[in-house]
């Protein structure tokens, strides 16, 4: 059996953004949707708090669900402006918007403001009335018809009421999302797309400015200066790179300006249209929970990556001489533990030139194709040395393995049972693949498929 290798990039997943004023149950609805085992495709391991995105599937349709969250406003003016900004970013970045309102309060002035913005957009919108906990609560819908909307979806995010119906409507409304012409890799153009991601004020713009040799990007010690993604074409050593500087993403507890919370939508988009992600860490602070979340997003989206410890010139000598700093950093960023680590100073330019070598290597591994013969030789050696554990008292048999695509390298391994291959054994095979074929800097997708004997 021959599996045709697909070297094309995926159609990007459409983004479904949940918006609305605070305290209407947006986060509860988000958690309820991703909590359905049927709807979740690939959850983000190790994250149990402050989760705002997840890749989902319903009836075979994939999408990325984003919770724009709520705020505790200090004034009515700020209250209104942050909702407007929330909706503005969702309209720009999302393919479908879930506008959530509280059925118990009736129509609020802020709801009408959001409606005015949504009416001017061309994006599809589903109007969701939350906290419809019983049949008798469905009468509350009549209070909202003054908004000029014909169809509302009454749900209870807490109880899970009518969530299936809402998800059916989501996949029905979602458009197909091909890559725009200006974001698609042209055939043979040779340009490596590199996204700079990280928390605010870690030096992303400073690094790109150092690479460019000009003050092209706004640099400020104030966190959150970069609001949108900025593209910069760079020629280095005969190769072309498109660097994208993204807005910093910070923890929810520290967000005081609405746009910083919602910039995660733009970061998701930027990661999706890039080949290699440079995750920048403040070397004085080390990997944080927020950095780990960004690492998980990079892995979730299946992109190659390089970890950069910036501001290395400010690190004390004792720490600078610490042995095994790479291992320590990778442990803090477990999702991309396969990525190379580079220490540099974007401000002084020290070791910045080494970044290109790591990007080149990560991109090459991300695009690496392995012959079926080599793969099956490795599988045979690995299984002979360490057989899979018994499943229901019977041995797990592996027939063959084949690479089905690149970017990232994706292998399909056929066995007599799919369920009988535990996760730790899957990781064992993946590690053998990495060791044998030097796949540093790229995720590896290993898919198990059942195949009957005979």
């Amino acid at each position: 059996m021959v599996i045709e290798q697909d070297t094309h990039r995926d159609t990007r997943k459409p983004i479904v953004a949940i918006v609305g004023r605070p305290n209407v149950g947006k986060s509860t609805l988000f958690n309820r949707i991703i909590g359905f085992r049927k709807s979740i495709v690939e959850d983000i391991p190790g994250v149990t708090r402050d989760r705002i995105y997840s890749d989902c599937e319903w009836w075979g349709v994939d999408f990325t669900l984003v919770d724009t969250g709520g705020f505790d406003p200090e004034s009515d003016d700020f209250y209104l402006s942050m909702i407007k900004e929330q909706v503005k970013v969702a309209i720009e970045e999302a393919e479908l918007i879930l506008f959530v309102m509280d059925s118990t309060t009736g129509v609020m002035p802020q709801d009408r403001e959001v409606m005015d913005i949504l009416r001017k957009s061309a994006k599809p919108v589903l109007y969701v009335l939350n906290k419809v906990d019983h049949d008798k609560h469905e009468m509350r819908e009549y209070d909202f018809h003054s908004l000029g909307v014909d169809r509302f979806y009454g749900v209870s995010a807490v109880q899970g009421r009518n969530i299936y119906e809402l998800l059916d409507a989501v996949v029905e409304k979602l458009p197909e999302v091909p890559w725009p012409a200006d974001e698609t890799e042209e055939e043979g153009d040779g340009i490596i797309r590199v996204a700079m991601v990280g928390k605010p004020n870690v030096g992303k713009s400073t690094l790109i400015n150092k690479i460019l040799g000009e003050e092209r990007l706004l640099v400020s010690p104030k966190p959150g200066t970069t609001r949108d993604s900025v593209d910069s074409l760079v020629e280095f050593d005969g190769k072309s790179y498109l660097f994208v500087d993204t807005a910093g993403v910070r923890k929810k507890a520290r967000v005081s300006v609405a746009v910083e919370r919602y910039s995660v939508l733009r970061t998701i988009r930027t990661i999706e249209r890039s080949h290699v992600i440079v995750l920048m860490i403040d070397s004085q602070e080390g990997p944080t929970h927020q950095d780990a979340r960004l690492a998980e997003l990079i892995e979730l989206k299946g992109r190659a990556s390089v970890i950069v410890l910036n501001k290395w010139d400010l690190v004390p000598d004792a720490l600078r001489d610490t042995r095994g700093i790479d291992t320590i950093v990778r442990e803090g960023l477990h999702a991309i533990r396969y990525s190379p680590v580079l220490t540099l100073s974007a401000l002084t330019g020290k070791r910045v030139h080494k970044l290109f070598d790591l990007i080149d290597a990560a991109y090459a591994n991300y695009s690496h194709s392995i012959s079926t013969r080599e793969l099956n030789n490795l599988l045979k050696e690995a299984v002979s040395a360490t057989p899979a554990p018994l499943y229901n008292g019977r041995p797990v048999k592996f027939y063959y393995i084949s690479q089905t695509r690149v970017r990232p390298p994706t292998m399909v391994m056929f066995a007599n049972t799919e369920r009988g291959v535990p996760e730790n054994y899957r990781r064992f095979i993946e590690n053998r693949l990495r060791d044998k074929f030097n796949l540093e800097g790229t995720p590896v997708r290993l898919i198990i498929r059942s195949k009957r004997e005979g």
Side-chain angles (χ1 to χ4, degrees):
M1 178 178 180
V2 177
I3 299 177
E4 181 180 358
Q5 186 176 81
D6 181 4
T7 59
H8 294 85
R9 299 169 67 195
D10 284 334
T11 300
R12 64 181 186 181
K13 287 185 175 67
I15 289 180
V16 178
I18 303 175
V19 304
R21 58 186 177 84
N23 302 319
V24 296
K26 296 188 297 297
S27 295
T28 306
L29 178 61
F30 173 86
N31 290 331
R32 172 62 67 174
I33 290 175
I34 70 170
F36 278 119
R37 290 184 180 274
K38 182 177 179 181
S39 66
I40 195 71
V41 164
E42 188 173 1
D43 205 348
I44 304 169
V47 178
T48 57
R49 58 188 175 92
D50 198 26
R51 175 170 36 192
I52 59 174
Y53 47 77
S54 185
D55 277 6
C56 300
E57 177 266 339
W58 191 256
W59 292 118
V61 178
D62 296 321
F63 60 93
T64 298
L65 186 67
V66 179
D67 171 24
T68 56
F71 290 84
D72 183 14
E74 297 177 359
S75 67
D76 290 340
D77 289 340
F78 181 72
Y79 184 84
L80 186 56
S81 66
M82 72 181 180
I83 297 174
K84 288 182 177 179
E85 187 62 41
Q86 173 200 72
V87 176
K88 176 184 175 183
V89 175
I91 288 173
E92 290 174 355
E93 303 299 331
E95 277 67 48
L96 177 64
I97 299 167
L98 302 185
F99 176 27
V100 182
M101 292 168 279
D102 186 342
S103 68
T104 66
T105 64
V107 180
M108 302 295 287
Q110 295 83 7
D111 296 326
R112 296 188 184 277
E113 292 281 351
V114 173
M115 282 295 305
D116 290 340
I117 299 172
L118 292 175
R119 281 197 180 97
K120 296 175 183 177
S121 77
K123 295 292 177 72
V125 181
L126 295 180
Y127 300 92
V128 182
L129 299 183
N130 192 26
K131 306 179 185 179
V132 180
D133 300 330
H134 305 285
D135 290 344
K136 61 183 179 182
H137 292 166
E138 292 179 359
M139 297 293 292
R140 296 171 180 170
E141 177 181 321
Y142 294 110
D143 295 335
F144 289 84
H145 281 295
S146 62
L147 295 173
V149 176
D150 295 329
R151 179 72 165 94
F152 291 96
Y153 295 87
V155 305
S156 173
V158 171
Q159 298 180 2
R161 189 172 187 268
N162 290 338
I163 300 298
Y164 288 145
E165 289 79 358
L166 177 61
L167 285 170
D168 288 344
V170 166
V171 298
E172 182 180 346
K173 280 279 189 179
L174 274 179
E176 295 219 358
V177 190
W179 286 90
D182 61 342
E183 294 184 2
T184 306
E185 176 191 13
E186 296 294 334
E187 188 71 27
D189 68 359
I191 298 177
I192 302 176
R193 296 179 177 270
V194 183
M196 296 283 188
V197 303
K199 298 191 305 179
N201 207 34
V202 295
K204 300 185 297 296
S205 298
T206 304
L207 177 57
I208 294 183
N209 284 336
K210 180 61 67 173
I211 291 171
L212 292 170
E214 58 176 299
E215 292 297 315
R216 182 170 176 178
L217 304 181
L218 177 62
V219 178
S220 167
K222 182 179 179 181
T225 303
T226 305
R227 298 299 190 198
D228 300 301
S229 297
V230 181
D231 292 5
S232 301
L233 186 62
V234 175
E235 299 287 338
F236 182 81
D237 199 21
K239 298 178 182 177
S240 299
Y241 307 82
L242 188 69
F243 281 89
V244 183
D245 183 30
T246 59
V249 182
R250 57 169 60 188
K251 289 179 65 174
K252 178 180 177 182
R254 296 181 180 177
V255 173
S256 59
V257 180
V259 67
E260 292 179 356
R261 168 73 171 183
Y262 311 127
S263 65
V264 69
L265 281 85
R266 292 176 177 141
T267 301
I268 290 173
R269 273 285 179 255
T270 301
I271 289 175
E272 285 184 331
R273 70 184 184 98
S274 301
H275 299 121
V276 181
I277 314 302
V278 174
L279 176 56
M280 185 173 287
I281 310 295
D282 188 328
S283 59
Q284 295 179 291
E285 188 177 15
T288 65
H289 173 71
Q290 183 68 6
D291 295 322
R293 286 184 57 217
L294 287 171
E296 288 156 358
L297 177 57
I298 294 167
E299 165 64 22
L300 181 71
K301 294 301 178 181
R303 298 301 184 260
S305 54
V306 175
I307 302 166
V308 166
L309 289 178
N310 189 29
K311 307 180 185 179
W312 196 246
D313 54 314
L314 303 178
V315 172
D317 292 341
L319 179 60
R320 201 178 306 171
D321 296 334
T322 301
R323 303 183 71 176
I325 192 71
D326 293 14
T327 302
I328 295 172
V329 171
R330 290 192 186 99
E331 287 177 354
L333 303 171
H334 186 72
I336 54 172
R337 59 196 177 279
Y338 46 75
S339 297
V341 179
L342 175 65
T343 58
L344 57 75
S345 171
L347 188 61
T348 67
K350 187 174 182 179
R351 294 171 59 83
V352 168
H353 66 284
K354 293 182 179 296
L355 178 60
F356 288 93
D357 291 338
L358 296 182
I359 290 173
D360 288 344
Y363 177 74
N365 293 336
Y366 183 57
S367 309
H368 190 49
S369 179
I370 306 169
S371 72
T372 300
R373 180 179 180 179
E374 289 179 294
L375 288 172
N376 282 282
N377 286 341
L378 179 141
L379 178 62
K380 183 178 180 180
E381 293 172 4
V383 172
S384 297
T386 309
L390 297 178
Y391 178 67
N392 290 337
R394 302 179 63 185
V396 176
K397 297 181 180 180
F398 294 96
Y399 302 116
Y400 62 93
I401 182 173
S402 178
Q403 183 170 355
T404 59
R405 62 182 302 121
V406 296
R407 300 184 190 174
T410 301
M411 325 294 176
V412 176
M413 189 163 61
F414 289 88
N416 61 341
T417 172
E418 181 178 341
R419 294 182 179 180
V421 184
E423 183 60 32
N424 61 347
Y425 197 79
R426 188 193 304 256
R427 288 196 300 269
F428 162 71
I429 297 294
E430 177 186 331
N431 289 335
R432 292 295 296 267
L433 287 167
R434 290 188 178 282
D435 294 341
K436 176 70 174 180
F437 302 108
N438 188 27
L439 297 175
E440 185 180 43
T442 181
V444 173
R445 299 292 188 247
L446 187 58
I447 302 168
I448 311 297
R449 290 285 182 262
S450 296
K451 180 179 181 295
R452 293 182 179 179
E453 295 182 88

